[in-house]
């Protein structure tokens, strides 16, 4: 979608980062509203950006962690369509989580929970590795040739072979006539 022929296009890179970041938070919001919204009385940005909500001691904390994991899997799919290159997946994934870290620092201070770090680093690894795998799989797909094109290709090779044999036959005929 965004991959162009120009090697260095900073506006393209910024647009990809903005799109991926927006899709990341949109997907995280959907998963948080499904998994956490049913458990709490009021949803807020605390579940997005506060490191204290990412905990393994409560069911709500496990739901928050599951939301982050599902978002990283969806993010890998977003990388396939927005970045389209396997070698760029780690860069864009790290950028998403680095921006998320900065927003979390601004919102609630430095994340001091080891669970927050484990969850986010694992999600970063899942997003980048799964994104690279999916991008490589997409890059290595065969290019489909339409039925019309393949039949025309066959016809072209058939005509080449036929013309080669026709020329060979005519040369033999000329040689036979000349030798008599």
């Amino acid at each position: 979608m965004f991959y162009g022929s120009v090697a260095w296009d900073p506006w393209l890179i910024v647009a990809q980062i903005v799109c991926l970041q927006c899709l990341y938070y949109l997907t995280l919001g959907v998963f948080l509203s499904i998994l956490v919204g049913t458990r709490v009385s009021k949803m807020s940005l605390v579940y997005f950006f506060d490191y204290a909500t990412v905990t393994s001691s409560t069911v709500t904390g496990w739901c928050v962690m599951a939301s982050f994991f599902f978002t990283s899997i969806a993010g890998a799919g977003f990388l396939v369509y927005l970045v389209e290159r396997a070698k760029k997946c780690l860069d864009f994934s790290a950028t998403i989580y680095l921006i998320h870290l900065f927003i979390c620092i601004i919102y609630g201070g430095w994340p001091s929970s080891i669970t927050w770090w484990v969850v986010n680093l694992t999600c970063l690894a899942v997003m980048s590795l799964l994104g690279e795998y999916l991008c490589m799989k997409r890059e290595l797909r065969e290019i489909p040739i339409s039925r019309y094109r393949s039949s025309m290709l066959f016809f072209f090779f058939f005509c080449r072979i036929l013309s080669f044999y026709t020329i060979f036959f005519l040369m033999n005929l000329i040689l036979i006539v000349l030798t008599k």
Side-chain angles (χ1 to χ4, degrees), residues 7-38:
W8 171 249
D9 188 5
W11 291 109
L12 174 67
I13 295 169
V14 169
Q16 286 172 323
I17 291 170
V18 168
C19 285
L20 283 171
Q21 199 73 38
C22 290
L23 286 170
Y24 174 79
Y25 286 123
L26 181 70
T27 308
L28 183 60
V30 167
F31 284 125
L32 283 172
S33 65
I34 292 170
L35 296 174
V36 178
T38 58

Side-chain angles (χ1 to χ4, degrees), residues 15 18 21 35-37 52 82 109 122 125-126 139 141 143 153 173-174:
V18 168
Q21 199 73 38
L35 296 174
V36 178
L82 293 177
T122 305
V126 166
E139 288 174 359
R141 267 192 326 207
I143 299 172
L153 197 60
L173 189 62
I174 292 172

Side-chain angles (χ1 to χ4, degrees), residues 2-3 39 41 63 68 74 94 132 148 156 169-171 180:
F2 283 115
Y3 184 71
R39 303 198 55 78
S41 60
C63 290
F68 276 101
E132 283 180 10
Y148 174 73
F156 173 73
F169 175 75
L170 288 175
M171 287 178 59
K180 285 187 175 181

